Amino acid sequence: MPAHPSQMEPAQALRADALHNRVRILEAAREAFATRGLDVPMAAIARRAGVGVATLYRRFPSRESLITEVFGDELATCASVVDEALADPDPWRGFCSAIEKVCAMQVADRGFTEAFLTAFPDAMDYERLRVRAEQGLAEVVRRAKAAGRLRADFDLADLMLLLKANCGVATGTNQDAAAGSRRLVAYLLQSFRAEHAAPLPPAPPFTLDFPHASTAMR
């Protein structure tokens, strides 16, 4: 039978309290990042979690450490999605699958896209996963174009355009956002096909942090 809190040794009680505070901070941060973006003040996160600012900084000494902890699991999932797309012998199917799954993740957690597109050079494990996912997406695009299935004028900036459009859809209620996102992505995937592609205006000046990939894809 687990010990009653009053029967715990002081160190045990402290550890339990610290763990509880950590969970509350992470939950509060996830909600705040989803609704207000990554620039939400740390003090606002502390208030939402019901802890003092000093407690928050003891657990997470910087905004970067908090962001990377909150979104670490999602980033690992995203990297796995890209790996699966690269392993698909059909480059177009892999491309479509990656786009659909990443956009679904974006709707499920609105703060994830901003975290995914932000570099955190001091968080080495997180940054390694992020670069792997971004470089993998660039390769997914390259393979689909090389197979003649993705329109030749598709630009990596179009991925940012897609994510921005999907982000707008994601502001609705959960059910409406999910349905709207699926339809938007289906429309866009049809327009990305090489068959019957008509000329488009120039790509927007959006940039993704794909090391060396943008110039290679142009």
Side-chain angles (χ1 to χ4, degrees), residues 54-138:
T55 297
L56 187 154
Y57 276 107
R58 276 198 300 273
R59 305 290 169 254
F60 302 97
S62 68
R63 180 186 304 276
E64 176 180 292
S65 64
L66 181 57
I67 291 171
T68 54
E69 181 71 17
V70 167
F71 294 107
D73 288 345
E74 285 90 339
L75 183 59
T77 299
C78 182
S80 295
V81 163
V82 175
D83 288 344
E84 290 172 4
L86 288 172
D88 194 320
D90 183 329
W92 174 250
R93 186 173 59 197
F95 172 82
C96 292
S97 175
I99 295 299
E100 290 166 350
K101 290 178 181 178
V102 169
C103 285
M105 290 178 63
Q106 183 182 21
V107 172
D109 191 333
R110 298 172 195 170
F112 171 68
T113 302
E114 189 177 355
F116 175 61
L117 297 174
T118 303
F120 298 101
D122 293 333
M124 295 183 64
D125 289 342
Y126 185 94
E127 190 64 8
R128 189 178 302 111
L129 271 177
R130 193 182 70 82
V131 170
R132 179 181 124 201
E134 290 186 340
Q135 291 180 329
L137 276 174

Side-chain angles (χ1 to χ4, degrees), residues 3-200:
H4 188 276
S6 62
Q7 298 173 322
M8 288 184 181
E9 295 293 329
Q12 289 179 292
L14 180 61
R15 286 194 295 272
D17 183 60
L19 179 60
H20 180 62
N21 284 341
R22 178 183 175 83
V23 170
R24 289 169 63 186
I25 291 168
L26 289 173
E27 290 176 347
R30 181 180 298 281
E31 294 169 358
F33 292 148
T35 57
R36 300 177 58 180
L38 300 188
D39 292 332
V40 60
M42 296 286 271
I45 295 173
R47 286 195 299 272
R48 187 185 288 255
V51 302
V53 175
T55 297
L56 187 154
Y57 276 107
R58 276 198 300 273
R59 305 290 169 254
F60 302 97
S62 68
R63 180 186 304 276
E64 176 180 292
S65 64
L66 181 57
I67 291 171
T68 54
E69 181 71 17
V70 167
F71 294 107
D73 288 345
E74 285 90 339
L75 183 59
T77 299
C78 182
S80 295
V81 163
V82 175
D83 288 344
E84 290 172 4
L86 288 172
D88 194 320
D90 183 329
W92 174 250
R93 186 173 59 197
F95 172 82
C96 292
S97 175
I99 295 299
E100 290 166 350
K101 290 178 181 178
V102 169
C103 285
M105 290 178 63
Q106 183 182 21
V107 172
D109 191 333
R110 298 172 195 170
F112 171 68
T113 302
E114 189 177 355
F116 175 61
L117 297 174
T118 303
F120 298 101
D122 293 333
M124 295 183 64
D125 289 342
Y126 185 94
E127 190 64 8
R128 189 178 302 111
L129 271 177
R130 193 182 70 82
V131 170
R132 179 181 124 201
E134 290 186 340
Q135 291 180 329
L137 276 174
E139 178 61 12
V140 167
V141 169
R142 189 201 67 76
R143 291 173 71 241
K145 291 176 76 170
R149 302 296 304 281
L150 178 61
R151 56 187 304 147
D153 59 354
F154 186 91
D155 192 282
L156 287 176
D158 291 326
L159 289 178
M160 176 68 85
L161 186 64
L162 185 155
L163 291 175
K164 283 180 173 288
N166 195 56
C167 187
V169 174
T171 58
T173 63
N174 287 344
Q175 185 173 356
D176 290 344
S181 173
R182 287 193 296 270
R183 188 165 178 85
L184 173 68
V185 170
Y187 268 130
L188 292 176
L189 287 176
Q190 288 188 34
S191 73
F192 293 159
R193 297 178 69 97
E195 297 88 344
H196 311 299
L200 292 172

